[in-house]
Amino acid sequence: MNSINRLFAERGDRKLLSLYFCAGCPRLDMTADVVLTLQRRGIDMIEVGIPFSDPLADGPVIQSAGTVALKNGMTLQLLFDQLRAIRHEVAVPLVLMGYLNVVMHHGLERFFQNCVESGVSGCIIPDLPLKDYLETVKPLADRYDVRVVMMITPETSAERIRFIDEHTDGFIYMVSSAGITGAQQSFDEARMAYFERIAAMNLRHPRMIGFGVSNRQTLESAQAHAAGAIIGSKFVTLLRQTGDAEEAVGRLYDALKQ
């Protein structure tokens, strides 16, 4: 069984926490240490960002991290090499997040082959059109047993949400707002209504809520309306400030209590 599916099948009533970081930031050689540290500190799933020069869905924190990573020399192939070196030590699901241009430049089938060889269970490609997913990407992903996770936003139609639910596997990434990534202090009434509306659809697949989760209030709101939460910008900021994965995740846990 794919490790993403296993995670959700075995979680019971426990709410999950997934963290995102950008590979290659703040240092080129930190990938293995960050992944293993997060696993040791109880993070359920790890989302590893592939740096790209034009990340349309990302806010200034993650854009800046990507710029640093590219200047440090991070590439998709190097990231695969770094993950491959620790694949037998990693038990939690690894999900790559990157843009279509980078994946296509690497080679689509080669990308999924490398995912398997590196212990990667899924990927998120924010700018992947559904038509291209169905016709080209999904057949290859299915062949290599890699989950392609799709995002939905408050503006996504019910018809499209049900289509995504029917034609993808693993989980649905529920973006808290139609904007870019970035830490927020609270979710307003409109976002809470959106969370409740999607929960009432009784979708087949579990949902993880991301974008804006950074403190106790936003974490609890996300976890109350989904299988769990994804934190990105807050952890990326702490990792850059400290330069140390252990200290960064410790400070994050402290922030989530406030």
Side-chain angles (χ1 to χ4, degrees), residues 19-35 38 46-53 58 61-84 86 94-98 102 120 232 235-236 239-240:
L19 293 192
Y20 166 97
F21 75 97
C22 180
C25 179
R27 298 195 309 275
L28 186 63
D29 61 352
M30 284 190 71
T31 302
D33 180 57
V34 175
V35 169
L38 295 184
I46 301 170
E47 187 180 316
V48 186
I50 306 166
F52 181 50
S53 58
D58 295 322
V61 170
I62 294 178
Q63 284 189 21
S64 177
T67 299
V68 169
L70 291 172
K71 288 181 178 178
N72 285 344
M74 179 53 70
T75 65
L76 179 52
Q77 186 57 59
L78 177 56
L79 173 56
F80 278 129
D81 293 342
Q82 291 176 337
L83 294 177
R84 186 181 296 113
I86 58 170
L94 296 179
V95 178
L96 295 187
M97 179 172 176
V102 179
V120 172
F235 181 66
V236 170
L239 190 59
R240 291 190 68 180

Side-chain angles (χ1 to χ4, degrees), residues 91-132:
V92 300
L94 296 179
V95 178
L96 295 187
M97 179 172 176
Y99 290 84
L100 186 58
N101 182 283
V102 179
V103 174
M104 296 303 292
H105 186 266
H106 187 79
L108 193 57
E109 183 159 12
R110 181 183 171 208
F111 173 80
F112 288 113
Q113 286 176 329
N114 287 167
C115 282
V116 173
E117 295 165 357
S118 305
V120 172
S121 300
C123 65
I124 302 167
I125 307 174
D127 57 343
L128 173 63
L130 272 178
K131 183 175 183 292
D132 292 343

